[in-house]
C-alpha cells in the first residue's frame, strides 16, 4: 500500500510538470509557478547543456508566437553552441501583443504578463541549476517593449538585455488600466520626456529596489513607421537616466558599426544604442552581437 501511494505521488509529480525534451522546442505545463495571465511557457533545452547553464528569455512580436520566434531567431542554434537555455513566452492575447500598458504589468510582482515571465525564469533557474549571473532577456517589437518592462520590473533577475525596435518602459501606459492596450501617442513618437523623468518611471515599477540593473543594448531603425524612430531616443534617455549617464554627452559614437549604415552610441558600459539607417520595423536580430553583449562569446 505504501509503495502504491509513493508511485501515485511520483506519477502526480511527473504529470504536474513534464520534463522538456533536450534539443526540442517544448511547452512547459503544470505547476511551474504562478501564472496570473495564463501566458504560454515554451522552452528550448539544448542537448549540449552546460553544467550551470545561462538563460535567455526571447520574447516574440505582435501577431507572432513563441514557436514563430523560435523558428525565426538563432537562439536555439546558439544554445547548442554555448549550452544555455532559451525561454520563449507566448502572449495570451488575441493579437499576441504583450501587456506593457496596465499597472499590473508595470509593477514588480503586480500580477501581469511580466510577473508570469519572471516566474518562468525562477522555475527554470531552479530546475536546471542555472547560473543566475547569466540570465538575459531580449525581444522584437512588442517583445522589445516587454524586454524593457522586464528590465524595469525585475532588474534582480537579469544581467543584460537587448531591445530590437521597442519603446521605453512605461511609454505604453494606459491610465484606464487596460491590459494589452495600444498607445498611438507613444508609437508615433509624440512622447518626449527627460532622462530623469524616465528614470523615475522605471524606479517606480519596483519601489525601494537598490540593487544592480541589467546592461541595456537598444536597436532601432530610422524608417520605422510602426514604432517611430523617436522611440529610440526616448528608450536611450530612459536608461541613461537610470544609470546616471549624461544623455547629451555619450562617451563614444562609432559610425558603420556593427555594420554599414548602423551607428553605435556608447554612453558607458551599461548602455549602448544602435541606430540603423534605412531600416524599418523591425531591426533584424544579430545573434553574434547578442552573444558578445551577453558574454557567451
Amino acid at each position: 500500500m505504501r509503495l502504491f501511494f509513493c508511485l501515485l505521488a511520483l506519477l502526480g509529480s511527473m504529470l504536474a510538470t513534464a520534463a522538456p525534451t533536450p534539443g526540442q522546442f517544448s511547452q512547459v505545463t503544470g505547476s511551474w509557478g504562478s501564472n496570473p495571465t495564463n501566458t504560454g511557457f515554451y522552452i528550448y533545452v539544448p542537448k549540449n547543456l552546460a553544467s550551470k547553464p545561462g538563460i535567455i528569455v526571447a520574447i516574440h512580436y505582435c501577431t507572432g508566437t513563441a514557436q514563430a520566434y523560435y523558428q525565426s531567431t538563432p537562439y536555439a542554434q546558439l544554445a547548442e553552441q554555448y549550452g544555455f537555455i532559451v525561454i520563449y513566452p507566448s502572449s495570451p492575447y488575441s493579437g499576441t501583443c504583450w501587456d506593457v500598458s496596465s499597472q499590473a504589468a508595470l509593477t514588480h510582482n503586480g500580477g501581469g504578463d511580466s510577473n508570469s515571465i519572471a516566474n518562468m525564469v525562477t522555475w527554470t533557474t531552479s530546475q536546471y541549476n542555472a547560473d543566475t549571473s547569466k540570465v538575459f532577456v531580449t525581444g522584437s517589437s512588442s517583445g522589445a517593449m516587454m524586454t524593457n518592462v522586464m528590465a524595469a520590473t525585475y532588474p534582480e533577475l537579469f544581467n543584460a538585455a537587448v531591445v530590437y525596435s521597442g519603446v521605453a518602459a512605461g511609454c505604453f501606459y494606459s491610465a484606464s488600466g487596460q491590459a494589452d492596450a495600444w498607445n498611438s501617442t507613444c508609437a508615433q513618437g509624440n512622447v518626449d520626456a527627460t532622462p530623469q523623468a524616465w528614470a523615475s518611471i522605471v524606479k517606480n515599477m519596483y519601489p525601494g529596489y537598490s540593487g544592480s540593473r541589467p546592461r541595456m543594448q537598444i536597436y532601432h531603425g530610422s524608417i520605422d513607421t510602426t514604432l517611430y524612430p523617436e522611440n529610440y531616443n526616448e528608450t536611450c534617455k530612459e536608461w541613461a537616466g537610470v544609470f546616471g549617464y549624461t544623455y547629451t554627452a555619450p562617451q563614444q559614437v562609432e559610425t558603420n558599426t556593427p555594420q554599414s549604415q548602423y551607428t553605435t552610441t556608447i554612453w558607458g558600459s551599461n548602455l549602448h544604442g544602435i541606430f540603423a539607417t534605412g531600416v524599418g520595423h523591425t531591426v533584424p536580430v544579430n545573434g553574434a552581437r547578442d552573444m558578445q553583449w551577453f558574454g557567451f562569446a
Side-chain angles (χ1 to χ4, degrees):
M1 184 63 71
R2 186 174 180 180
L3 177 61
F4 173 74
F5 284 115
C6 287
L7 289 171
L8 275 182
L10 178 61
L11 179 60
S13 173
M14 292 171 64
L15 290 174
T17 308
T21 304
Q24 290 185 18
F25 177 76
S26 306
Q27 184 173 12
V28 180
T29 58
S31 56
W32 51 265
S34 173
N35 185 10
T37 60
N38 199 31
T39 299
F41 181 3
Y42 295 82
I43 198 169
Y44 184 86
V45 178
K47 294 178 181 177
N48 181 34
L49 183 65
S51 58
K52 275 189 71 69
I55 298 170
I56 293 178
V57 181
I59 310 177
H60 68 74
Y61 44 86
C62 283
T63 74
T65 61
Q67 184 165 15
Y69 211 54
Y70 158 73
Q71 291 172 335
S72 63
T73 57
Y75 300 118
Q77 295 94 317
L78 291 165
E80 292 294 350
Q81 184 176 351
Y82 295 105
F84 58 78
I85 295 166
V86 191
I87 294 171
Y88 298 94
S90 198
S91 168
Y93 305 103
S94 58
T96 72
C97 294
W98 291 97
D99 174 18
V100 292
S101 58
S102 75
Q103 191 64 45
L106 299 174
T107 304
H108 180 81
N109 290 340
D113 294 351
S114 56
N115 204 160
S116 293
I117 294 170
N119 291 338
M120 295 176 195
V121 173
T122 302
W123 179 86
T124 304
T125 300
S126 173
Q127 186 78 4
Y128 292 96
N129 190 31
D131 185 341
T132 56
S133 72
K134 295 180 180 178
V135 180
F136 310 100
V137 59
T138 187
S140 299
S141 189
S142 182
M145 299 186 206
M146 180 54 81
T147 297
N148 278 319
V149 168
M150 294 306 301
T153 52
Y154 294 91
E156 78 283 10
L157 289 183
F158 302 104
N159 179 272
V162 180
V163 177
Y164 286 101
S165 306
V167 306
C171 194
F172 257 47
Y173 171 71
S174 169
S176 69
Q178 180 184 344
D180 184 33
W182 184 259
N183 186 318
S184 294
T185 302
C186 177
Q188 293 173 10
N190 294 319
V191 175
D192 182 1
T194 65
Q196 293 74 24
W198 280 123
S200 243
I201 288 170
V202 168
K203 290 172 184 178
N204 285 336
M205 293 185 192
Y206 192 173
Y209 179 75
S210 59
S212 62
R213 294 184 181 271
R215 294 175 294 109
M216 304 299 297
Q217 190 166 78
I218 315 299
Y219 286 83
H220 216 101
S222 70
I223 56 171
D224 192 329
T225 56
T226 301
L227 300 173
Y228 283 36
E230 288 83 359
N231 285 295
Y232 169 77
N233 301 324
E234 299 309 303
T235 305
C236 292
K237 278 197 273 182
E238 178 168 73
W239 293 109
V242 169
F243 291 118
Y245 297 136
T246 302
Y247 174 72
T248 54
Q251 291 182 4
Q252 194 173 350
V253 178
E254 301 175 349
T255 58
N256 295 315
T257 304
Q259 65 191 65
S260 177
Q261 301 301 305
Y262 282 46
T263 299
T264 296
T265 302
I266 299 171
W267 282 272
S269 59
N270 289 324
L271 177 60
H272 292 190
I274 300 97
F275 194 65
T277 302
V279 177
H281 192 75
T282 62
V283 176
V285 169
N286 187 329
R289 284 279 289 195
D290 291 355
M291 294 303 99
Q292 292 173 5
W293 186 248
F294 293 153
F296 289 117

